Amino acid sequence: VMGLIGATKVAAGHSHTCALLATGSVRCWGEGSQGQLGNASNSDSPVPVAVSGITTAVGIAAGQRHSCARLSDGSIRCWGNGNSGQLGNGSSASSNVPVAVTGISTATSLAAGDSYNCTTLASGAAMCWGSNSDGTLGDGTTTTRLLPTAVSGVSNAIDIAGGRQHSCVVLGSGGAQCWGYNQSGALGNGNSTSSLLPVTVTGMSQATQISVGHRHSCARLSSGALQCWGSGFSF
C-alpha cells in the first residue's frame, strides 16, 4: 500500500480499507462516495488519505460504507454513510468527517457490520447501533437505533464482532454468544432459528477472540486453535 508506514491494524469494508498507525492516526483508501474515507471528501482515493482529526486511535472498524475508530480515552468516532444510524450520533445523516458516538466513553473493543456497529465497554456490557432488520443489535427488537443500545443480557464481554446479518461476543469465561440471522447456523447453538436476543454458542469455553462473516462465525481459542460454524457459501 503506497506511502503507508507504521500500520498496526487494518480494517476492510465493502469497497474501502482503513489502517491504524502507531502514531494514533488513521488512513483510509478506496471508495469514498459516502464519506467513508473520513477526509472531508466524497471522492474515491487510490492511495491512503488521512482521516480528519483522528490522532489517538487504538482501534478501527470498517463497515459497508462507513468506518469507525476507538480512541484511547474510550470514546468512538464514526464517519461515512449514516442512513441507518450507523454513526451513532442520533442522526441518519452521513458525514465525511468523524463524529462522536453519543454516550460511549469506556469502549474496550469495536466492530462494524454492514450498516451497524457494536462495542464492548469496560463494565463488560455490549452496545450496538444502526440497522437492526435481522436483530443484529441484540436488543430483542428489529428497530433501527440512531444511538447506542444495550445488547440484552450480555455481561463480562471482552470482544465483539459484526457481520452482514448477525453479531457475536466473547465472554471473559471463554464462552461466546451470538444473535441475529441464523438460517445457516451462524449463531452456533445447534439450530437454524434466528434470534433477536443473544444465544449461547454450544460447547464454547476457551474463546479469546471472535470474527463474523456473511453467514458464518469463527473463534480463536486460548490454545491457538480455531473453531468455525455456519455456512461456507454465500447466497
Side-chain angles (χ1 to χ4, degrees):
V1 176
M2 293 182 62
L4 197 64
I5 298 173
T8 59
K9 295 180 181 179
V10 177
H14 184 270
S15 301
H16 76 289
T17 308
C18 294
L20 170 64
L21 305 187
T23 59
S25 62
V26 176
R27 302 288 189 274
C28 297
W29 60 96
E31 183 188 353
S33 62
Q34 300 296 315
Q36 59 266 53
L37 304 188
N39 64 332
S41 169
N42 287 64
S43 299
D44 299 348
S45 178
V47 295
V49 294
V51 176
S52 301
I54 299 292
T55 59
T56 61
V58 293
I60 52 171
Q64 188 179 53
R65 287 183 172 88
H66 74 281
S67 314
C68 295
R70 178 170 62 93
L71 306 187
S72 59
D73 64 0
S75 65
I76 294 174
R77 301 290 188 273
C78 294
W79 57 94
N81 188 5
N83 65 348
S84 295
Q86 55 267 58
L87 303 191
N89 64 337
S91 169
S92 58
S94 299
S95 176
N96 57 22
V97 294
V99 297
V101 176
T102 302
I104 300 295
S105 60
T106 61
T108 56
S109 70
L110 174 64
D114 262 17
S115 299
Y116 71 98
N117 304 295
C118 294
T119 185
T120 57
L121 306 181
S123 65
M127 307 282 285
C128 297
W129 60 97
S131 176
N132 196 24
S133 59
D134 294 291
T136 48
L137 305 189
D139 65 347
T141 77
T142 56
T143 303
T144 291
R145 303 293 184 181
L146 305 183
L147 294 169
T149 185
V151 178
S152 299
V154 169
S155 60
N156 198 25
I158 60 172
D159 191 40
I160 200 161
R164 183 179 181 187
Q165 296 169 291
H166 75 287
S167 313
C168 294
V169 68
V170 171
L171 307 179
S173 63
Q177 293 179 308
C178 298
W179 56 93
Y181 189 79
N182 194 33
Q183 181 177 329
S184 302
L187 303 191
N189 63 333
N191 63 56
S192 57
T193 302
S194 298
S195 178
L196 303 181
L197 295 170
V199 297
T200 298
V201 177
T202 303
M204 187 66 62
S205 62
Q206 300 178 34
T208 60
Q209 188 177 11
I210 200 154
S211 181
V212 168
H214 186 163
R215 292 184 180 175
H216 69 287
S217 312
C218 292
R220 183 173 69 178
L221 308 186
S222 56
S223 64
L226 296 175
Q227 289 187 342
C228 296
W229 56 96
S231 173
F233 300 90
S234 293
F235 298 97

